Amino acid sequence: MRARTLLSGLKVWNLGKNTWVNRLSNGVSSSVSTHGPQVCVVGSGPAGFYTAQHLIKNVINTFTQTAKQSRCAFYGNVNVGKDISMEELRQAYHAVVLSYGAEGNRTMGVPGEHLDGVYSAKDFVGWYNGLPSCRQLSPDLSCDTAVILGQGNVALDVARILLAPVQMLKKTDITAPALEALAESRVSRVLIVGRRGPLQVACTIKELREMVNLPGTKPEMVAADFEGIAEALKDVARPRKRLTELLLKTALEPPGEKEQQRRNSARRSWGFLFCRSPLEVLPDPSGTRTAALRLAVNKLEGSGEGARAVLTTEEEVVPCGLVISSIGYKSLPIDPAVPFDPSKAIIPNDMGRVTQAPGLYVSGWLKTGPTGVIATTMNSSFDTARSLLEDMGSGALDVSTRKPGSDSIQALLDQRGIKPVTFSDWEKIDQVESRRGEAVGKPREKLLTVEEMLEVSRA
């Protein structure tokens, strides 16, 4: 099921840890009254809900409270472009906000990435978080070394899942099949590889600190990768400085007695490998499975955030049986009539106003590209909502004519025999998952197929 729903709802599933919200995906939200301005939000993730929250203009702290507002209707499990068209949405609403996120993968573009043992981080995270489309992934974790390409928060999330003690994972909402596979995992070393250097890592200090303190693990990094980094810190902003200082401390400073004892007893290790780019995934003798990764050694041109990685003639080969590509996600076009920039994989916009498409707005990763954390998405979504409200107030968005809003959409779905998942239906799924989790000491035990979710929602 694709991640574009008539919001009158939001598809909230995060690629980070402890993901749980609305794996039915696809949603549309709108105002219910047909007398005021009618707004449709396509996408039920954080961007969609934050946009709806700001438009409703109440003091709201959770997505649940937003969805339960009398002025918000939620239509889950509805595929825009298949069950309902963009043109029908635009006829029904004064404004349509697209916030369906980035559901595509960026490929490495190197030979061998089709081999068994190579996965995208998006699919790997979807597997352990219970995304139905990733249920059959069944990654082979029988190797010693895993390489993660990318040094953002998702990369660190994946590294933690691979290395965390099973007893620790049992207390999370990770799926039962993933927990079973990780309990049998032989992965004991994870390398987190990036094209640039320590001053350009894309993770946040919170994620790095959790990695540093992960029980049963120890850091292993190359001291030479940090030459000159301490001297360069005086010219960087405070958040970057704090992050880099933690990296330096972890990589170079002799640990205290207690930390040294912890590291001595650790059976698993992790480390950043800087200034490396993938050239080829090398196969084992059978020609079907991953055996190693051939990397180019880069040099940096420029400094700070703008430094560019330039390939040199130097190469190295890292033996590994698992390669996870966390080099980013990309948005996909939803309809030929909606402007789309394929090079940037975004909808062209000015502060959320879609270029040359009055009444059409965009928020979230579809607006900015796949960057930032939840707070970034929240602020970007609020900016889009402000743009929409400003256009209503200035007359740039004509709301003088009456629009049918969700009444029209419901009628079309009824005619087509499509029964959407309401928010109260979603709450039934939430309650069943929570009860199942409570029985085994977890926050939730997830339903892993759309069929199971629909059966529960309609009970």
Side-chain angles (χ1 to χ4, degrees):
M1 219 165 283
R2 302 186 63 185
R4 301 170 188 160
T5 321
L6 273 184
L7 170 75
S8 291
L10 316 174
K11 183 193 83 171
V12 183
W13 64 268
N14 183 345
L15 292 177
K17 59 188 174 182
N18 297 331
T19 301
W20 60 273
V21 187
N22 207 353
R23 293 176 310 284
L24 276 171
S25 88
N26 287 7
V28 179
S29 76
S30 67
S31 161
V32 174
S33 166
T34 60
H35 299 289
Q38 302 294 305
V39 179
C40 172
V41 181
V42 179
S44 53
F49 265 119
Y50 283 130
T51 304
Q53 172 182 328
H54 194 81
L55 290 172
I56 290 175
K57 301 289 277 185
N58 279 355
V59 180
I60 297 170
N61 296 320
T62 67
F63 296 157
T64 298
Q65 288 172 298
T66 300
K68 286 186 172 181
Q69 285 283 320
S70 60
R71 295 161 59 196
C72 183
F74 182 100
Y75 294 89
N77 199 34
V78 176
N79 193 315
V80 176
K82 178 182 176 182
D83 300 326
I84 205 84
S85 72
M86 277 296 301
E87 180 57 31
E88 288 167 333
L89 292 181
R90 299 198 71 179
Q91 289 177 0
Y93 296 89
H94 294 102
V96 175
V97 183
L98 299 173
S99 59
Y100 57 81
E103 57 185 327
N105 289 317
R106 294 188 185 276
T107 60
M108 291 185 285
V110 302
E113 65 179 317
H114 65 283
L115 292 171
D116 292 341
V118 180
Y119 306 95
S120 72
K122 176 178 177 291
D123 291 343
F124 193 80
V125 172
W127 167 69
Y128 65 72
N129 275 324
L131 194 64
S133 61
C134 302
R135 187 169 62 97
Q136 303 297 333
L137 196 68
S138 189
D140 185 346
L141 306 178
S142 63
C143 63
D144 171 74
T145 299
V147 173
I148 302 173
L149 296 170
Q151 296 179 330
N153 285 344
V154 173
L156 266 65
D157 279 341
V158 171
R160 277 200 306 271
I161 290 294
L162 286 171
L163 296 177
V166 173
Q167 291 303 316
M168 181 177 172
L169 293 177
K170 284 181 178 179
K171 299 176 183 177
T172 73
D173 64 354
I174 192 169
T175 66
L179 190 60
E180 291 172 9
L182 289 163
E184 299 297 321
S185 171
R186 293 171 56 190
V187 175
S188 60
R189 178 174 178 245
V190 174
L191 294 177
I192 307 165
V193 178
R195 295 180 301 110
R196 301 191 292 170
L199 283 171
Q200 291 84 34
V201 292
C203 63
T204 60
I205 191 169
K206 176 180 178 292
E207 302 295 324
L208 177 59
R209 187 177 293 115
E210 290 185 8
M211 194 76 232
V212 170
N213 296 324
L214 187 65
T217 71
K218 60 183 176 182
E220 290 183 349
M221 286 183 263
V222 179
D225 284 347
F226 295 89
E227 290 180 2
I229 298 299
E231 292 76 11
L233 284 182
K234 62 180 182 298
D235 298 322
V236 301
R238 186 170 182 271
R240 170 65 65 181
K241 182 178 181 180
R242 291 177 60 237
L243 173 63
T244 311
E245 286 174 340
L246 179 56
L247 264 177
L248 284 168
K249 179 180 179 182
T250 304
L252 303 180
E253 286 188 14
E257 182 179 353
K258 185 176 180 181
E259 175 62 13
Q260 187 62 63
Q261 290 176 351
R262 189 182 80 88
R263 294 187 185 185
N264 289 342
S265 64
R267 301 178 62 183
R268 295 179 171 182
S269 67
W270 62 275
F272 285 98
L273 188 59
F274 296 104
C275 293
R276 303 292 191 274
S277 292
L279 293 175
E280 183 181 9
V281 183
L282 301 174
D284 66 1
S286 73
T288 61
R289 287 207 53 81
T290 299
L293 187 63
R294 185 163 66 92
L295 299 169
V297 178
N298 304 330
K299 65 178 181 179
L300 293 183
E301 290 187 353
S303 60
E305 303 288 344
R308 293 190 312 112
V310 179
L311 298 183
T312 69
T313 57
E314 186 180 352
E315 297 180 5
E316 65 183 23
V317 173
V318 177
C320 59
L322 179 65
V323 175
I324 299 175
S325 174
S326 184
I327 57 176
Y329 309 92
K330 65 177 182 180
S331 297
L332 303 174
I334 191 171
D335 186 280
V338 177
F340 190 80
D341 184 339
S343 63
K344 296 180 180 178
I346 63 170
I347 290 180
N349 69 93
D350 178 15
M351 293 295 290
R353 301 175 177 92
V354 175
T355 305
Q356 298 180 337
L360 199 57
Y361 299 81
V362 62
S363 67
W365 282 2
L366 188 61
K367 170 186 176 184
T368 62
T371 182
V373 294
I374 285 290
T376 314
T377 297
M378 178 181 70
N379 291 327
S380 173
S381 301
F382 286 176
D383 286 342
T384 293
R386 278 191 287 269
S387 293
L388 199 161
L389 292 169
E390 287 171 5
D391 291 351
M392 285 183 181
S394 69
L397 179 64
D398 183 8
V399 295
S400 61
T401 58
R402 184 167 177 172
K403 293 276 190 172
S406 59
D407 290 345
S408 171
I409 299 305
Q410 183 63 65
L412 288 171
L413 295 176
D414 288 343
Q415 290 172 16
R416 294 162 188 171
I418 297 166
K419 182 174 174 57
V421 173
T422 67
F423 196 76
S424 61
D425 292 336
W426 180 86
E427 287 184 308
K428 293 179 184 177
I429 299 171
D430 179 46
Q431 290 163 6
V432 166
E433 291 187 340
S434 296
R435 285 199 301 267
R436 287 174 43 159
E438 185 178 0
V440 293
K442 297 171 62 178
R444 68 180 55 243
E445 189 65 68
K446 299 170 185 173
L447 302 172
L448 299 181
T449 68
V450 172
E451 290 73 23
E452 285 181 299
M453 294 184 212
L454 291 177
E455 183 178 353
V456 167
S457 72
R458 291 165 184 172

